[in-house]
């Protein structure tokens, strides 16, 4: 059973960038989309974008266009989500998720001066 | 963007009750719908994909049906461990979108 394991919590300053990783263990990337979803404190789930790893083709929600970059390294079965120009409203738990593997455990990103 | 509207936003039911949650899409999404369960303080878990297919290991008291624009999620006999927020998600078109969630509590 494939599992998604994410990198650890981050604390960032406003205006900086954060890069979160998501490694697939127990399997390999496939043609299924791997998505990034975030959840602000007390809020619902928000889709940010996704990637089809074997094609390295990325898709982004309009809201995050220009600020988010999603990439994948098929040799290490790892996907990455980089969010730039961070502001306090970006404080949230960031998840990777795929139909093939379910959800990662989440990565808390705190943006604070 | 496809809007996903869940109802109710919260519900309270007794152990053993049948629980039903509805999810309406703003346009036809075929059967490209997922139901997720999120327990307090935990990551979501995928319960049902393609509107009605139970993920491996998910108890059979959970079920889903529907196609097109209207979908139903059911718990046939509510258990204490089912306390969670449930989300529908469409993956028919980009951007993928979620319903606002339904919080299920025990009466």
């Amino acid at each position: 059973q494939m599992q998604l394991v994410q990198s650890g919590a981050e604390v960032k300053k406003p205006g900086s960038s954060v890069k979160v990783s998501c490694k697939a263990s127990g399997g390999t990337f496939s043609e299924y989309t791997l998505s990034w979803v975030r959840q602000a404190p007390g809020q619902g789930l928000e889709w940010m974008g996704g990637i089809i790893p074997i094609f390295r083709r990325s898709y982004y929600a309009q809201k995050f266009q220009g600020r988010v970059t999603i990439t994948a390294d098929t040799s290490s079965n790892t996907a990455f989500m980089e969010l730039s120009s961070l502001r306090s409203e970006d404080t949230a738990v960031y998840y990777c998720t795929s139909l093939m593997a379910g959800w990662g455990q989440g990565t808390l990103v705190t943006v604070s001066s | 963007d496809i809007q996903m509207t869940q109802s109710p936003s919260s519900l309270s039911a007794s152990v053993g009750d049948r629980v039903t949650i509805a999810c309406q899409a703003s346009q036809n999404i075929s059967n490209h719908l997922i139901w997720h369960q999120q327990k307090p303080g935990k990551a979501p878990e995928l319960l049902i994909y393609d509107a009605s297919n139970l993920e491996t290991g998910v108890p059979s008291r959970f079920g889903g049906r529907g196609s097109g624009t209207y979908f139903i999620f059911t718990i046939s006999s509510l258990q204490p461990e089912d306390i969670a927020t449930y989300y529908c998600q469409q993956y028919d078109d980009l951007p993928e979108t979620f319903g606002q969630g339904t919080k299920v509590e025990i009466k």
Side-chain angles (χ1 to χ4, degrees):
Chain A
Q1 177 87 8
M2 194 186 306
Q3 289 187 315
L4 300 175
V5 180
Q6 298 182 223
S7 50
E10 302 262 13
V11 179
K12 294 293 184 179
K13 300 285 189 188
S16 67
S17 299
V18 67
K19 191 170 186 176
V20 181
S21 68
C22 171
K23 183 174 176 60
S25 63
T28 57
F29 280 151
S30 68
E31 69 276 16
Y32 284 89
T33 299
L34 186 140
S35 295
W36 288 91
V37 174
R38 78 177 187 180
Q39 186 171 40
Q43 302 301 307
L45 302 171
E46 181 176 34
W47 188 83
M48 300 177 66
I51 187 167
I52 303 176
I54 62 169
F55 300 130
R56 294 183 181 170
R57 185 170 180 179
S58 302
Y59 306 87
Y60 303 114
Q62 182 79 15
K63 175 178 178 177
F64 300 99
Q65 198 86 26
R67 273 212 306 147
V68 68
T69 304
I70 296 172
T71 56
D73 177 359
T74 53
S75 66
S76 64
N77 285 321
T78 304
F80 302 90
M81 185 283 298
E82 184 169 21
L83 186 63
S84 62
S85 302
L86 289 170
R87 36 210 189 226
S88 59
E89 309 89 87
D90 294 318
T91 294
V93 178
Y94 290 76
Y95 296 100
C96 58
T97 178
S98 168
L99 269 178
M100 286 296 293
W103 292 75
Q105 83 275 20
T107 297
L108 174 63
V109 175
T110 303
V111 183
S112 174
S113 54
Chain B
D1 297 3
I2 298 175
Q3 306 301 315
M4 305 300 291
T5 304
Q6 273 183 248
S7 60
S9 56
S10 65
L11 66 89
S12 182
S14 299
V15 172
D17 281 355
R18 183 179 185 86
V19 167
T20 299
I21 298 169
C23 180
Q24 180 136 26
S26 59
Q27 64 190 67
N28 189 338
I29 60 169
S30 185
N31 67 334
H32 299 144
L33 186 95
I34 301 171
W35 288 97
H36 304 280
Q37 175 193 63
Q38 187 176 32
K39 296 184 178 180
K42 302 292 186 183
E45 290 187 16
L46 193 158
L47 295 184
I48 292 170
Y49 63 95
D50 290 346
S52 61
N53 293 323
L54 227 57
E55 181 73 354
T56 303
V58 172
S60 58
R61 65 180 179 275
F62 295 101
R65 57 186 171 89
S67 66
T69 62
Y70 192 71
F71 302 85
I72 294 289
F73 171 83
T74 58
I75 307 173
S76 61
S77 177
L78 185 66
Q79 300 301 303
E81 60 265 33
D82 300 335
I83 299 313
T85 299
Y86 294 85
Y87 295 92
C88 61
Q89 177 200 0
Q90 68 81 19
Y91 57 99
D92 185 72
D93 196 15
L94 296 176
E96 297 181 15
T97 44
F98 291 88
Q100 77 276 21
T102 297
K103 187 174 184 179
V104 175
E105 298 176 319
I106 296 284
K107 193 180 293 182

